[in-house]
Amino acid sequence: MNFIPAQVYGRGRSVVVLLALAVTFLSGCVAPIRVPISSDSRAQLGTVNGIVGLRQQEIGTDIIPSNLSNAMGSSGGAIGSIIGSIADASIDNARAKKAESAVKPIRDALIDYQPGNVLAADLQKALATVPGASPSHVDVRQVIDPETTAKWINGSGNASVLLVTLNYKLSPNFDSIVISAEASLHAGGNRLANIAQTKPDLPPLVYYNDLSTTVALPGLNGPQSPEGMVTLWAADGGQPARTALNAGLQELAAMIAYDLTAPAPLDGKLYKAPKDAETRQVTIIAAPPYQYGYVEHTAEGRAWLRLPSGELAAIIQ
Amino acid sequence: MRPAWVQRGNRWVFAAGCLATIFSGCNAPQTAQLDLTVPASAQDTPKTSSKASLRVAWLAIDDQRLDETSLGNFGNCSYVAKSILPWVNQQLCAINGTNFVKADDLARADLVIQPTLLKLYIQNVAITKSAVVVLRLNLSSHGKSSGQFICRGQYAGMNWSDSNEEMAGAIQNAFADCLRNIAASLELNIKLKHMVVAASN
Protein backbone atom coordinates (compact mmCIF):
# COMPACT_ATOMS: atom_id res chain seq x y z
CA MET A 1 0.00 0.00 0.00
CA ASN A 2 1.29 3.44 -0.88
CA PHE A 3 1.02 5.68 2.12
CA ILE A 4 3.73 8.17 1.21
CA PRO A 5 3.16 10.34 -1.88
CA ALA A 6 4.89 9.08 -4.98
CA GLN A 7 6.56 12.39 -5.67
CA VAL A 8 8.22 12.33 -2.24
CA TYR A 9 9.35 8.74 -2.25
CA GLY A 10 9.48 7.91 -5.96
CA ARG A 11 10.20 4.49 -7.34
CA GLY A 12 13.37 3.04 -8.78
CA ARG A 13 16.52 4.41 -10.34
CA SER A 14 17.71 5.61 -6.92
CA VAL A 15 21.22 4.25 -7.24
CA VAL A 16 21.74 5.67 -10.73
CA VAL A 17 20.34 9.04 -9.69
CA LEU A 18 22.42 9.03 -6.50
CA LEU A 19 25.56 8.46 -8.56
CA ALA A 20 24.58 11.21 -10.97
CA LEU A 21 23.93 13.57 -8.05
CA ALA A 22 27.26 12.70 -6.50
CA VAL A 23 29.00 13.51 -9.78
CA THR A 24 27.09 16.80 -10.01
CA PHE A 25 27.91 17.78 -6.44
CA LEU A 26 31.56 16.82 -6.81
CA SER A 27 31.90 18.76 -10.04
CA GLY A 28 30.89 21.78 -7.91
CA CYS A 29 30.22 24.15 -10.81
CA VAL A 30 27.33 26.01 -12.40
CA ALA A 31 26.81 24.89 -15.97
CA PRO A 32 25.92 27.53 -18.55
CA ILE A 33 22.28 27.32 -19.63
CA ARG A 34 22.26 30.03 -22.28
CA VAL A 35 23.36 29.21 -25.81
CA PRO A 36 24.11 32.58 -27.46
CA ILE A 37 23.87 33.20 -31.20
CA SER A 38 26.14 35.52 -33.15
CA SER A 39 24.97 38.05 -35.72
CA ASP A 40 26.76 36.02 -38.44
CA SER A 41 24.78 32.92 -37.49
CA ARG A 42 21.50 34.87 -37.33
CA ALA A 43 22.13 36.08 -40.86
CA GLN A 44 22.16 32.47 -42.08
CA LEU A 45 18.82 31.44 -40.54
CA GLY A 46 16.70 32.27 -43.59
CA THR A 47 12.95 32.37 -43.04
CA VAL A 48 12.04 32.11 -39.34
CA ASN A 49 8.66 30.78 -38.16
CA GLY A 50 7.68 31.60 -34.60
CA ILE A 51 5.78 29.22 -32.32
CA VAL A 52 4.45 30.11 -28.87
CA GLY A 53 3.92 26.85 -27.01
CA LEU A 54 1.64 26.59 -23.99
CA ARG A 55 1.90 23.70 -21.57
CA GLN A 56 -0.91 25.04 -19.36
CA GLN A 57 -4.49 26.12 -20.02
CA GLU A 58 -4.88 28.60 -17.16
CA ILE A 59 -2.76 30.65 -14.79
CA GLY A 60 -0.83 28.43 -12.37
CA THR A 61 -0.32 28.62 -8.61
CA ASP A 62 2.72 28.02 -6.45
CA ILE A 63 3.40 27.29 -2.81
CA ILE A 64 6.26 27.79 -0.38
CA PRO A 65 7.27 24.20 0.38
CA SER A 66 7.29 23.09 4.00
CA ASN A 67 10.72 22.19 5.34
CA LEU A 68 9.98 20.31 8.55
CA SER A 69 12.03 17.30 7.46
CA ASN A 70 15.17 19.42 7.58
CA ALA A 71 14.46 20.78 11.05
CA MET A 72 13.30 17.43 12.43
CA GLY A 73 16.13 15.57 10.72
CA SER A 74 18.77 17.71 12.37
CA SER A 75 17.33 17.09 15.82
CA GLY A 76 15.70 13.68 15.45
CA GLY A 77 17.97 11.84 13.02
CA ALA A 78 16.60 9.48 10.38
CA ILE A 79 13.28 8.86 12.14
CA GLY A 80 12.84 12.61 12.54
CA SER A 81 13.52 13.08 8.82
CA ILE A 82 10.93 10.48 7.86
CA ILE A 83 8.27 11.97 10.15
CA GLY A 84 9.22 15.44 8.90
CA SER A 85 8.91 14.32 5.26
CA ILE A 86 5.43 12.95 5.87
CA ALA A 87 4.46 16.18 7.65
CA ASP A 88 5.95 18.20 4.75
CA ALA A 89 3.91 16.25 2.23
CA SER A 90 0.72 16.82 4.20
CA ILE A 91 1.39 20.55 4.67
CA ASP A 92 2.37 21.05 1.00
CA ASN A 93 -0.80 19.25 -0.11
CA ALA A 94 -2.95 21.44 2.15
CA ARG A 95 -1.23 24.60 0.85
CA ALA A 96 -1.65 23.52 -2.79
CA LYS A 97 -5.33 22.70 -2.32
CA LYS A 98 -5.90 26.06 -0.65
CA ALA A 99 -4.09 27.92 -3.45
CA GLU A 100 -6.01 26.05 -6.19
CA SER A 101 -9.31 26.83 -4.49
CA ALA A 102 -8.44 30.48 -3.80
CA VAL A 103 -7.34 31.20 -7.39
CA LYS A 104 -10.77 30.43 -8.90
CA PRO A 105 -12.02 34.07 -9.10
CA ILE A 106 -8.85 35.10 -10.96
CA ARG A 107 -9.15 32.17 -13.37
CA ASP A 108 -12.82 32.96 -13.94
CA ALA A 109 -11.97 36.61 -14.64
CA LEU A 110 -9.27 35.53 -17.13
CA ILE A 111 -11.37 32.84 -18.80
CA ASP A 112 -11.21 34.52 -22.24
CA TYR A 113 -7.69 35.91 -21.87
CA GLN A 114 -5.30 34.34 -24.39
CA PRO A 115 -1.71 34.86 -23.17
CA GLY A 116 -0.32 32.89 -26.11
CA ASN A 117 -1.91 35.25 -28.62
CA VAL A 118 -0.75 38.30 -26.65
CA LEU A 119 2.84 37.03 -26.57
CA ALA A 120 2.71 36.08 -30.26
CA ALA A 121 1.71 39.65 -31.20
CA ASP A 122 4.35 41.12 -28.86
CA LEU A 123 7.06 38.85 -30.29
CA GLN A 124 6.17 39.84 -33.84
CA LYS A 125 6.68 43.50 -32.90
CA ALA A 126 9.76 43.05 -30.71
CA LEU A 127 11.62 40.79 -33.13
CA ALA A 128 10.99 43.04 -36.13
CA THR A 129 14.12 44.93 -35.07
CA VAL A 130 16.34 41.84 -34.68
CA PRO A 131 18.20 41.23 -37.95
CA GLY A 132 17.94 37.64 -39.11
CA ALA A 133 15.55 36.49 -36.39
CA SER A 134 12.36 38.29 -37.31
CA PRO A 135 9.61 35.67 -37.70
CA SER A 136 7.35 35.74 -40.76
CA HIS A 137 4.47 34.68 -38.50
CA VAL A 138 3.98 33.38 -34.95
CA ASP A 139 1.61 30.47 -34.26
CA VAL A 140 0.17 29.56 -30.85
CA ARG A 141 0.00 25.87 -30.03
CA GLN A 142 -0.63 23.55 -27.11
CA VAL A 143 2.51 21.68 -26.12
CA ILE A 144 1.62 18.06 -25.46
CA ASP A 145 5.07 16.47 -25.11
CA PRO A 146 8.62 16.85 -26.53
CA GLU A 147 7.69 14.60 -29.45
CA THR A 148 5.09 17.08 -30.68
CA THR A 149 7.46 20.04 -30.44
CA ALA A 150 10.12 18.06 -32.31
CA LYS A 151 7.55 17.34 -35.03
CA TRP A 152 6.72 21.05 -35.37
CA ILE A 153 10.40 21.94 -35.70
CA ASN A 154 11.44 19.08 -37.95
CA GLY A 155 8.32 19.59 -40.06
CA SER A 156 9.10 23.20 -40.84
CA GLY A 157 11.22 22.20 -43.84
CA ASN A 158 13.70 24.81 -44.90
CA ALA A 159 12.45 27.43 -42.44
CA SER A 160 14.09 27.98 -39.07
CA VAL A 161 11.89 27.90 -35.97
CA LEU A 162 11.88 30.15 -32.91
CA LEU A 163 10.09 28.18 -30.19
CA VAL A 164 8.97 30.04 -27.06
CA THR A 165 7.38 27.84 -24.43
CA LEU A 166 5.42 29.99 -22.00
CA ASN A 167 4.65 29.47 -18.32
CA TYR A 168 2.80 31.88 -16.04
CA LYS A 169 1.76 31.57 -12.44
CA LEU A 170 0.89 33.52 -9.33
CA SER A 171 3.47 33.80 -6.58
CA PRO A 172 2.67 31.86 -3.37
CA ASN A 173 1.23 34.90 -1.57
CA PHE A 174 -0.59 36.07 -4.75
CA ASP A 175 1.14 39.47 -4.80
CA SER A 176 2.75 39.03 -8.22
CA ILE A 177 2.66 37.00 -11.42
CA VAL A 178 5.80 35.21 -12.58
CA ILE A 179 5.94 34.79 -16.36
CA SER A 180 8.72 32.63 -17.72
CA ALA A 181 9.71 31.24 -21.07
CA GLU A 182 12.10 28.75 -22.57
CA ALA A 183 13.23 30.21 -25.90
CA SER A 184 15.12 28.24 -28.54
CA LEU A 185 16.09 28.78 -32.16
CA HIS A 186 16.34 25.80 -34.51
CA ALA A 187 18.01 26.36 -37.87
CA GLY A 188 16.11 24.92 -40.83
CA GLY A 189 17.42 23.05 -43.86
CA ASN A 190 20.46 21.64 -42.05
CA ARG A 191 21.95 25.13 -41.85
CA LEU A 192 24.40 25.91 -39.02
CA ALA A 193 24.68 22.20 -38.24
CA ASN A 194 28.34 22.76 -37.35
CA ILE A 195 27.47 25.01 -34.38
CA ALA A 196 24.20 23.36 -33.30
CA GLN A 197 23.99 22.26 -29.68
CA THR A 198 21.70 19.90 -27.85
CA LYS A 199 19.40 20.40 -24.86
CA PRO A 200 17.07 17.85 -23.26
CA ASP A 201 13.76 17.34 -25.07
CA LEU A 202 14.60 19.65 -27.98
CA PRO A 203 16.00 19.09 -31.49
CA PRO A 204 19.48 20.57 -32.23
CA LEU A 205 19.46 24.33 -31.60
CA VAL A 206 21.57 27.39 -32.30
CA TYR A 207 20.18 29.60 -29.53
CA TYR A 208 18.64 28.81 -26.15
CA ASN A 209 17.77 30.60 -22.92
CA ASP A 210 15.41 30.68 -19.96
CA LEU A 211 13.84 34.09 -19.37
CA SER A 212 11.47 35.32 -16.70
CA THR A 213 9.73 38.43 -15.54
CA THR A 214 7.90 39.16 -12.30
CA VAL A 215 5.06 41.67 -12.41
CA ALA A 216 3.39 43.02 -9.29
CA LEU A 217 -0.29 43.70 -8.74
CA PRO A 218 -0.84 47.18 -10.22
CA GLY A 219 -1.55 49.91 -7.69
CA LEU A 220 -1.04 47.74 -4.62
CA ASN A 221 -0.71 49.88 -1.50
CA GLY A 222 0.55 48.04 1.56
CA PRO A 223 0.35 44.39 2.55
CA GLN A 224 -2.73 42.33 1.81
CA SER A 225 -3.82 38.83 2.73
CA PRO A 226 -3.77 36.30 -0.15
CA GLU A 227 -7.60 36.40 -0.16
CA GLY A 228 -7.46 40.19 -0.43
CA MET A 229 -5.00 39.87 -3.31
CA VAL A 230 -7.37 37.54 -5.17
CA THR A 231 -10.17 40.10 -4.88
CA LEU A 232 -7.88 42.84 -6.21
CA TRP A 233 -6.56 40.77 -9.17
CA ALA A 234 -10.08 39.71 -10.17
CA ALA A 235 -11.72 43.14 -9.82
CA ASP A 236 -13.32 44.76 -12.90
CA GLY A 237 -13.45 41.48 -14.82
CA GLY A 238 -9.81 40.79 -14.03
CA GLN A 239 -8.55 44.08 -15.46
CA PRO A 240 -5.60 44.33 -12.99
CA ALA A 241 -4.56 40.78 -13.91
CA ARG A 242 -4.86 41.52 -17.64
CA THR A 243 -2.87 44.74 -17.26
CA ALA A 244 -0.09 42.93 -15.39
CA LEU A 245 -0.04 40.01 -17.83
CA ASN A 246 -0.01 42.31 -20.86
CA ALA A 247 2.93 44.26 -19.37
CA GLY A 248 4.80 41.09 -18.43
CA LEU A 249 4.31 39.41 -21.81
CA GLN A 250 5.39 42.58 -23.63
CA GLU A 251 8.51 42.74 -21.47
CA LEU A 252 9.20 39.04 -22.05
CA ALA A 253 9.05 39.57 -25.83
CA ALA A 254 11.42 42.53 -25.51
CA MET A 255 13.77 40.42 -23.38
CA ILE A 256 13.84 37.65 -26.01
CA ALA A 257 14.63 40.21 -28.72
CA TYR A 258 17.37 41.70 -26.52
CA ASP A 259 18.81 38.30 -25.61
CA LEU A 260 19.01 37.19 -29.24
CA THR A 261 21.54 39.96 -29.81
CA ALA A 262 23.33 39.82 -26.44
CA PRO A 263 26.94 38.60 -26.62
CA ALA A 264 28.41 35.38 -25.28
CA PRO A 265 30.35 35.56 -21.98
CA LEU A 266 33.91 36.73 -22.30
CA ASP A 267 35.42 33.43 -21.22
CA GLY A 268 32.84 31.49 -23.21
CA LYS A 269 31.42 29.88 -20.07
CA LEU A 270 29.76 31.75 -17.20
CA TYR A 271 28.47 35.31 -17.01
CA LYS A 272 30.50 37.25 -14.48
CA ALA A 273 29.34 40.61 -13.19
CA PRO A 274 31.35 43.49 -14.65
CA LYS A 275 33.23 45.62 -12.14
CA ASP A 276 30.87 47.97 -10.25
CA ALA A 277 27.77 46.20 -11.61
CA GLU A 278 24.84 46.02 -9.20
CA THR A 279 23.96 42.52 -8.02
CA ARG A 280 20.38 41.62 -7.06
CA GLN A 281 18.50 38.59 -5.85
CA VAL A 282 15.87 37.07 -8.10
CA THR A 283 13.08 34.77 -6.96
CA ILE A 284 12.14 32.62 -9.92
CA ILE A 285 11.00 29.74 -7.77
CA ALA A 286 9.34 30.00 -4.36
CA ALA A 287 11.96 28.05 -2.45
CA PRO A 288 15.60 28.73 -1.69
CA PRO A 289 18.34 28.66 -2.85
CA TYR A 290 17.54 32.03 -4.40
CA GLN A 291 19.64 33.12 -7.34
CA TYR A 292 21.63 36.28 -7.84
CA GLY A 293 22.36 38.14 -11.02
CA TYR A 294 23.89 41.40 -12.09
CA VAL A 295 21.92 44.24 -13.60
CA GLU A 296 22.64 44.17 -17.33
CA HIS A 297 19.89 46.44 -18.59
CA THR A 298 17.42 48.91 -17.09
CA ALA A 299 14.33 50.44 -18.64
CA GLU A 300 11.15 52.07 -17.33
CA GLY A 301 11.66 51.11 -13.70
CA ARG A 302 12.68 47.55 -14.53
CA ALA A 303 16.04 45.83 -14.12
CA TRP A 304 17.08 42.87 -16.25
CA LEU A 305 19.42 40.57 -14.35
CA ARG A 306 21.93 38.25 -16.00
CA LEU A 307 22.44 35.13 -13.91
CA PRO A 308 25.82 33.34 -13.86
CA SER A 309 24.52 30.57 -16.13
CA GLY A 310 23.12 33.12 -18.59
CA GLU A 311 19.40 33.23 -17.81
CA LEU A 312 17.74 36.64 -17.99
CA ALA A 313 15.29 37.70 -15.27
CA ALA A 314 13.36 40.98 -15.02
CA ILE A 315 12.41 42.52 -11.68
CA ILE A 316 11.33 45.92 -10.38
CA GLN A 317 14.33 48.24 -10.45
CA MET B 1 26.75 3.60 21.28
CA ARG B 2 27.93 4.43 17.76
CA PRO B 3 30.44 7.24 17.31
CA ALA B 4 29.08 10.63 16.34
CA TRP B 5 30.71 10.53 12.89
CA VAL B 6 28.84 7.29 12.09
CA GLN B 7 25.55 8.92 13.07
CA ARG B 8 26.40 11.98 10.98
CA GLY B 9 27.33 9.70 8.11
CA ASN B 10 24.02 7.87 8.34
CA ARG B 11 22.23 11.17 8.21
CA TRP B 12 24.04 12.14 5.05
CA VAL B 13 23.33 8.76 3.46
CA PHE B 14 19.67 9.15 4.39
CA ALA B 15 19.59 12.72 3.02
CA ALA B 16 21.25 11.55 -0.20
CA GLY B 17 18.73 8.72 -0.43
CA CYS B 18 15.87 11.17 0.00
CA LEU B 19 17.32 13.44 -2.69
CA ALA B 20 17.82 10.48 -5.00
CA THR B 21 14.26 9.31 -4.58
CA ILE B 22 12.90 12.82 -5.02
CA PHE B 23 14.89 13.34 -8.20
CA SER B 24 14.01 9.89 -9.51
CA GLY B 25 10.57 11.47 -10.13
CA CYS B 26 12.25 13.53 -12.87
CA ASN B 27 12.23 10.71 -15.35
CA ALA B 28 12.39 11.25 -19.08
CA PRO B 29 9.19 12.86 -20.37
CA GLN B 30 6.47 10.43 -21.29
CA THR B 31 2.95 10.60 -22.63
CA ALA B 32 0.17 8.54 -21.13
CA GLN B 33 -3.19 7.77 -22.71
CA LEU B 34 -5.97 8.12 -20.13
CA ASP B 35 -9.12 6.05 -20.27
CA LEU B 36 -11.98 8.34 -19.30
CA THR B 37 -15.09 6.38 -18.41
CA VAL B 38 -18.66 7.52 -18.04
CA PRO B 39 -20.02 6.82 -14.54
CA ALA B 40 -22.86 4.30 -14.33
CA SER B 41 -25.26 7.04 -13.19
CA ALA B 42 -24.74 8.90 -16.47
CA GLN B 43 -25.09 5.78 -18.63
CA ASP B 44 -28.77 5.32 -17.71
CA THR B 45 -31.37 6.88 -19.91
CA PRO B 46 -32.43 10.13 -18.25
CA LYS B 47 -35.66 9.66 -16.35
CA THR B 48 -38.67 11.70 -17.23
CA SER B 49 -40.57 13.33 -14.42
CA SER B 50 -44.12 14.60 -14.52
CA LYS B 51 -43.13 17.30 -12.02
CA ALA B 52 -40.45 18.64 -14.31
CA SER B 53 -41.53 21.88 -15.86
CA LEU B 54 -38.86 22.35 -18.52
CA ARG B 55 -37.61 20.17 -21.34
CA VAL B 56 -33.93 20.81 -21.98
CA ALA B 57 -32.08 19.97 -25.21
CA TRP B 58 -28.30 19.90 -25.50
CA LEU B 59 -26.59 20.86 -28.76
CA ALA B 60 -23.29 19.25 -29.79
CA ILE B 61 -20.42 20.60 -27.75
CA ASP B 62 -18.07 23.22 -29.15
CA ASP B 63 -14.41 22.79 -28.22
CA GLN B 64 -12.33 25.94 -27.77
CA ARG B 65 -9.16 24.30 -26.43
CA LEU B 66 -5.96 24.56 -28.47
CA ASP B 67 -5.62 20.78 -28.72
CA GLU B 68 -8.49 18.31 -28.63
CA THR B 69 -6.50 15.43 -27.11
CA SER B 70 -4.42 17.17 -24.43
CA LEU B 71 -5.34 16.70 -20.77
CA GLY B 72 -2.38 18.56 -19.27
CA ASN B 73 0.74 17.46 -17.46
CA PHE B 74 1.84 16.16 -14.12
CA GLY B 75 5.55 16.73 -13.69
CA ASN B 76 7.21 15.34 -16.79
CA CYS B 77 4.27 13.17 -17.78
CA SER B 78 1.79 14.45 -20.37
CA TYR B 79 -1.73 13.08 -20.48
CA VAL B 80 -3.92 12.68 -23.54
CA ALA B 81 -7.23 10.99 -24.25
CA LYS B 82 -9.23 10.14 -27.34
CA SER B 83 -12.93 10.86 -27.65
CA ILE B 84 -13.05 13.55 -24.98
CA LEU B 85 -16.03 15.34 -26.51
CA PRO B 86 -18.33 12.26 -26.63
CA TRP B 87 -17.36 11.64 -22.98
CA VAL B 88 -18.40 15.20 -22.09
CA ASN B 89 -21.55 15.13 -24.25
CA GLN B 90 -22.86 11.89 -22.82
CA GLN B 91 -22.62 13.16 -19.27
CA LEU B 92 -24.13 16.57 -20.05
CA CYS B 93 -27.14 14.96 -21.70
CA ALA B 94 -27.67 12.77 -18.63
CA ILE B 95 -28.06 15.74 -16.26
CA ASN B 96 -31.46 15.79 -14.59
CA GLY B 97 -32.93 18.19 -12.11
CA THR B 98 -36.11 18.58 -10.14
CA ASN B 99 -37.28 21.32 -12.52
CA PHE B 100 -35.99 20.02 -15.85
CA VAL B 101 -35.54 16.86 -17.89
CA LYS B 102 -33.93 16.08 -21.20
CA ALA B 103 -36.18 16.92 -24.14
CA ASP B 104 -37.05 14.08 -26.50
CA ASP B 105 -36.38 16.23 -29.54
CA LEU B 106 -34.97 19.66 -30.21
CA ALA B 107 -38.18 21.07 -31.71
CA ARG B 108 -40.11 20.44 -28.49
CA ALA B 109 -37.44 21.77 -26.12
CA ASP B 110 -38.26 24.66 -23.81
CA LEU B 111 -34.59 25.40 -23.26
CA VAL B 112 -31.77 24.73 -25.73
CA ILE B 113 -28.22 24.71 -24.39
CA GLN B 114 -25.09 25.18 -26.48
CA PRO B 115 -22.13 23.97 -24.36
CA THR B 116 -18.57 25.08 -25.03
CA LEU B 117 -15.62 23.28 -23.51
CA LEU B 118 -13.18 26.00 -22.41
CA LYS B 119 -10.71 24.13 -20.19
CA LEU B 120 -10.01 20.53 -19.29
CA TYR B 121 -6.70 19.69 -17.70
CA ILE B 122 -4.73 18.17 -14.89
CA GLN B 123 -1.59 19.72 -13.43
CA ASN B 124 0.55 19.43 -10.37
CA VAL B 125 1.18 22.01 -7.66
CA ALA B 126 4.13 20.48 -5.79
CA ILE B 127 2.89 16.98 -4.87
CA THR B 128 -0.79 17.78 -5.35
CA LYS B 129 -2.74 16.91 -8.46
CA SER B 130 -5.29 19.48 -9.53
CA ALA B 131 -7.88 18.76 -12.22
CA VAL B 132 -10.05 21.50 -13.72
CA VAL B 133 -13.02 21.54 -16.12
CA VAL B 134 -14.66 24.73 -17.36
CA LEU B 135 -17.73 24.88 -19.60
CA ARG B 136 -19.65 27.84 -20.98
CA LEU B 137 -23.37 27.26 -21.49
CA ASN B 138 -25.32 29.50 -23.87
CA LEU B 139 -29.03 29.22 -23.26
CA SER B 140 -31.83 29.91 -25.72
CA SER B 141 -35.55 29.54 -25.43
CA HIS B 142 -37.79 29.26 -28.50
CA GLY B 143 -35.11 30.78 -30.70
CA LYS B 144 -34.29 33.67 -28.37
CA SER B 145 -31.06 33.92 -26.41
CA SER B 146 -31.65 33.75 -22.69
CA GLY B 147 -28.17 34.29 -21.35
CA GLN B 148 -25.06 32.32 -20.64
CA PHE B 149 -23.09 31.13 -17.65
CA ILE B 150 -19.73 29.58 -16.98
CA CYS B 151 -19.42 26.50 -14.79
CA ARG B 152 -16.16 25.38 -13.26
CA GLY B 153 -15.45 22.02 -11.71
CA GLN B 154 -12.33 21.31 -9.73
CA TYR B 155 -10.68 18.52 -7.78
CA ALA B 156 -7.39 18.67 -5.91
CA GLY B 157 -5.78 15.91 -3.90
CA MET B 158 -2.49 14.32 -2.98
CA ASN B 159 -0.70 12.38 -5.69
CA TRP B 160 -0.25 8.91 -4.27
CA SER B 161 0.91 6.63 -7.05
CA ASP B 162 1.34 8.57 -10.34
CA SER B 163 -0.96 5.97 -11.91
CA ASN B 164 -3.06 6.70 -14.98
CA GLU B 165 -6.14 5.55 -13.06
CA GLU B 166 -5.44 8.11 -10.34
CA MET B 167 -5.10 10.94 -12.89
CA ALA B 168 -8.23 9.85 -14.80
CA GLY B 169 -10.09 9.64 -11.48
CA ALA B 170 -9.08 13.21 -10.63
CA ILE B 171 -10.36 14.48 -13.99
CA GLN B 172 -13.61 12.56 -13.55
CA ASN B 173 -14.03 14.00 -10.04
CA ALA B 174 -13.50 17.51 -11.42
CA PHE B 175 -16.06 16.84 -14.16
CA ALA B 176 -18.56 15.51 -11.60
CA ASP B 177 -18.08 18.75 -9.63
CA CYS B 178 -18.71 20.72 -12.84
CA LEU B 179 -21.90 18.72 -13.54
CA ARG B 180 -23.19 19.45 -10.03
CA ASN B 181 -22.56 23.15 -10.59
CA ILE B 182 -24.30 23.04 -13.97
CA ALA B 183 -27.36 21.33 -12.47
CA ALA B 184 -27.48 23.87 -9.64
CA SER B 185 -27.10 26.81 -12.07
CA LEU B 186 -29.85 25.44 -14.34
CA GLU B 187 -32.20 24.97 -11.39
CA LEU B 188 -31.54 28.54 -10.28
CA ASN B 189 -31.95 29.87 -13.81
CA ILE B 190 -35.26 28.07 -14.23
CA LYS B 191 -36.54 29.18 -10.82
CA LEU B 192 -35.65 32.79 -11.59
CA LYS B 193 -37.45 32.59 -14.94
CA HIS B 194 -40.55 31.22 -13.24
CA MET B 195 -40.43 34.08 -10.75
CA VAL B 196 -40.19 36.61 -13.59
CA VAL B 197 -43.05 34.94 -15.46
CA ALA B 198 -45.17 34.79 -12.31
CA ALA B 199 -44.46 38.45 -11.56
CA SER B 200 -45.37 39.54 -15.09
CA ASN B 201 -48.63 37.61 -14.90
Side-chain angles (χ1 to χ4, degrees):
Chain A
M1 179 182 163
N2 285 316
F3 64 95
I4 298 176
Q7 289 291 306
V8 176
Y9 282 81
R11 293 158 292 179
R13 303 191 187 182
S14 301
V15 175
V16 174
V17 174
L18 184 59
L19 284 172
L21 278 172
V23 169
T24 309
F25 290 144
L26 289 174
S27 65
C29 63
V30 181
I33 286 174
R34 179 173 184 254
V35 176
I37 183 169
S38 67
S39 55
D40 287 347
S41 297
R42 281 203 317 273
Q44 297 174 51
L45 287 171
T47 304
V48 177
N49 294 333
I51 299 174
V52 171
L54 285 158
R55 276 174 68 84
Q56 62 197 98
Q57 293 186 29
E58 289 189 287
I59 193 164
T61 59
D62 201 2
I63 60 162
I64 297 171
S66 169
N67 198 18
L68 278 176
S69 57
N70 195 25
M72 293 178 75
S74 60
S75 59
I79 298 294
S81 284
I82 290 173
I83 294 169
S85 296
I86 295 169
D88 283 343
S90 176
I91 293 166
D92 287 352
N93 182 49
R95 287 178 181 172
K97 285 168 82 167
K98 193 175 175 187
E100 283 292 288
S101 176
V103 77
K104 279 182 196 173
I106 302 175
R107 286 183 177 159
D108 283 342
L110 292 174
I111 198 71
D112 289 321
Y113 186 77
Q114 305 290 346
N117 294 351
V118 174
L119 181 59
D122 288 336
L123 276 173
Q124 197 97 47
K125 279 184 206 159
L127 293 172
T129 57
V130 180
S134 178
S136 54
H137 63 276
V138 183
D139 292 341
V140 181
R141 298 180 192 173
Q142 182 79 45
V143 175
I144 298 172
D145 54 24
E147 213 171 285
T148 50
T149 47
K151 272 184 196 164
W152 300 340
I153 292 162
N154 297 331
S156 68
N158 207 34
S160 297
V161 173
L162 173 68
L163 175 65
V164 179
T165 306
L166 177 66
N167 183 291
Y168 64 114
K169 62 183 177 182
L170 284 148
S171 62
N173 59 1
F174 286 13
D175 66 345
S176 56
I177 296 174
V178 180
I179 307 171
S180 56
E182 181 188 62
S184 56
L185 245 176
H186 307 265
N190 214 24
R191 288 190 294 272
L192 299 170
N194 57 327
I195 63 157
Q197 297 193 30
T198 55
K199 290 276 181 186
D201 308 328
L202 285 170
L205 49 89
V206 292
Y207 163 82
Y208 178 92
N209 207 5
D210 291 333
L211 308 101
S212 71
T213 174
T214 304
V215 280
L217 177 62
L220 178 65
N221 292 318
Q224 279 277 348
S225 67
E227 292 77 12
M229 293 285 187
V230 170
T231 306
L232 293 172
W233 282 116
D236 300 329
Q239 200 52 49
R242 289 163 200 264
T243 302
L245 281 166
N246 285 344
L249 292 165
Q250 190 179 19
E251 183 173 42
L252 193 67
M255 290 167 73
I256 292 169
Y258 168 86
D259 199 56
L260 278 164
T261 59
L266 291 174
D267 65 357
K269 292 177 185 169
L270 295 178
Y271 294 77
K272 291 171 187 157
K275 202 177 175 185
D276 302 329
E278 184 192 356
T279 303
R280 301 270 301 270
Q281 177 187 294
V282 61
T283 310
I284 298 171
I285 53 172
Y290 300 118
Q291 299 185 66
Y292 289 83
Y294 66 87
V295 178
E296 189 175 275
H297 178 83
T298 55
E300 296 170 12
R302 308 283 296 171
W304 293 0
L305 308 184
R306 180 72 67 186
L307 275 60
S309 44
E311 303 104 303
L312 197 61
I315 58 173
I316 297 168
Q317 194 178 354
Chain B
M1 184 170 165
R2 289 176 300 172
W5 67 269
V6 172
Q7 290 182 20
R8 276 200 301 273
N10 282 347
R11 212 169 285 160
W12 278 109
V13 169
F14 179 77
C18 284
L19 273 174
T21 44
I22 288 166
F23 281 92
S24 67
C26 311
N27 294 332
Q30 52 182 298
T31 304
Q33 181 89 35
L34 294 188
D35 184 20
L36 298 175
T37 54
V38 176
S41 57
Q43 289 173 354
D44 299 334
T45 310
K47 291 165 189 153
T48 52
S49 164
S50 56
K51 288 180 186 171
S53 57
L54 239 72
R55 287 161 296 188
V56 174
W58 293 85
L59 299 178
I61 192 162
D62 179 27
D63 190 357
Q64 281 194 359
R65 297 170 304 144
L66 281 175
D67 183 272
E68 61 182 16
T69 62
S70 175
L71 286 173
N73 313 274
F74 193 101
N76 271 347
C77 192
S78 306
Y79 294 98
V80 294
K82 291 175 185 165
S83 309
I84 291 174
L85 294 188
W87 174 76
V88 173
N89 261 333
Q90 190 176 349
Q91 292 179 81
L92 284 178
C93 292
I95 293 180
N96 265 323
T98 49
N99 291 308
F100 64 94
V101 291
K102 187 187 174 193
D104 294 330
D105 68 86
L106 190 60
R108 298 182 61 191
D110 300 306
L111 187 66
V112 177
I113 304 176
Q114 167 67 69
T116 304
L117 182 58
L118 299 174
K119 315 285 176 191
L120 175 56
Y121 62 91
I122 191 160
Q123 64 180 4
N124 66 295
V125 182
I127 55 169
T128 300
K129 58 183 182 294
S130 175
V132 175
V133 183
V134 188
L135 286 159
R136 176 187 286 130
L137 305 182
N138 283 298
L139 312 181
S140 61
S141 185
H142 305 292
K144 286 182 185 171
S145 172
S146 53
Q148 66 168 34
F149 56 86
I150 288 172
C151 277
R152 179 179 290 274
Q154 198 157 316
Y155 172 83
M158 182 88 87
N159 170 41
W160 293 101
S161 67
D162 275 345
S163 69
N164 292 352
E165 292 76 18
E166 188 177 347
M167 299 302 158
I171 290 171
Q172 284 169 186
N173 283 338
F175 197 73
D177 184 40
C178 188
L179 292 174
R180 280 191 293 274
N181 292 335
I182 289 172
S185 297
L186 282 175
E187 294 283 7
L188 185 65
N189 191 286
I190 290 163
K191 276 181 189 166
L192 284 174
K193 275 200 168 43
H194 280 194
M195 284 165 67
V196 170
V197 170
S200 63
N201 289 338

